[in-house]
Amino acid sequence: QVQLVESGGGLVQPGGSLRLSCAASGSIFRLYAMGWYRQAPGKQRELVAAISSGGSTNYADSVKGRFTISRDNAKNTVYLQMNSLKPEDTAVYYCNTQPAIRLYWGQGTQVTVSS
């Protein structure tokens, strides 16, 4: 049984910040690369940030320099620090392994950037 639960979303103004958390159940979390994905209305889900089991990170060009992904393997948790938020960042944000495993998709957490 594997469950990923995202939290921390909300409504923020442009230029604001938000910190998302993803709590993972199940075993061997520390062995997997993890990613944050987002899906805006009418658009496909896209990978925005990924972190390897060893801590190496990659970011989509659209969020580079603004978002930071991190993980705490002892807590089975991955984080996404989101700064300088733009209206274009509005989406439902999901965590999953990277590459994603279909069965692991959860409910996501809504991020809305609006004035």
Side-chain angles (χ1 to χ4, degrees), residues 17-71:
S17 296
L18 213 53
R19 185 185 188 232
L20 307 184
S21 297
C22 171
S25 64
S27 62
I28 64 172
F29 168 84
R30 64 183 178 85
L31 301 180
Y32 290 88
M34 297 293 296
W36 280 98
Y37 305 75
R38 69 186 181 189
Q39 187 167 29
K43 299 179 66 177
Q44 290 197 42
R45 185 147 39 198
E46 64 173 339
L47 177 69
V48 298
I51 184 166
S52 73
S53 61
S56 298
T57 59
N58 291 106
Y59 300 92
D61 288 342
S62 59
V63 308
K64 198 169 298 180
R66 300 187 297 119
F67 291 8
T68 303
I69 187 171
S70 61
R71 68 192 297 163

Side-chain angles (χ1 to χ4, degrees), residues 2-115:
V2 175
Q3 187 176 23
L4 300 171
V5 180
E6 302 91 344
S7 63
L11 174 64
V12 295
Q13 294 184 335
S17 296
L18 213 53
R19 185 185 188 232
L20 307 184
S21 297
C22 171
S25 64
S27 62
I28 64 172
F29 168 84
R30 64 183 178 85
L31 301 180
Y32 290 88
M34 297 293 296
W36 280 98
Y37 305 75
R38 69 186 181 189
Q39 187 167 29
K43 299 179 66 177
Q44 290 197 42
R45 185 147 39 198
E46 64 173 339
L47 177 69
V48 298
I51 184 166
S52 73
S53 61
S56 298
T57 59
N58 291 106
Y59 300 92
D61 288 342
S62 59
V63 308
K64 198 169 298 180
R66 300 187 297 119
F67 291 8
T68 303
I69 187 171
S70 61
R71 68 192 297 163
D72 186 337
N73 290 336
K75 295 181 178 180
N76 284 359
T77 303
V78 60
Y79 305 95
L80 186 67
Q81 179 65 48
M82 309 165 66
N83 299 326
S84 302
L85 283 161
K86 305 175 180 180
E88 306 95 279
D89 297 318
T90 296
V92 178
Y93 284 71
Y94 304 86
C95 66
N96 206 325
T97 54
Q98 208 293 303
I101 297 174
R102 293 185 188 273
L103 283 172
Y104 290 0
W105 293 118
Q107 297 297 308
T109 186
Q110 176 72 50
V111 172
T112 302
V113 185
S114 177
S115 58

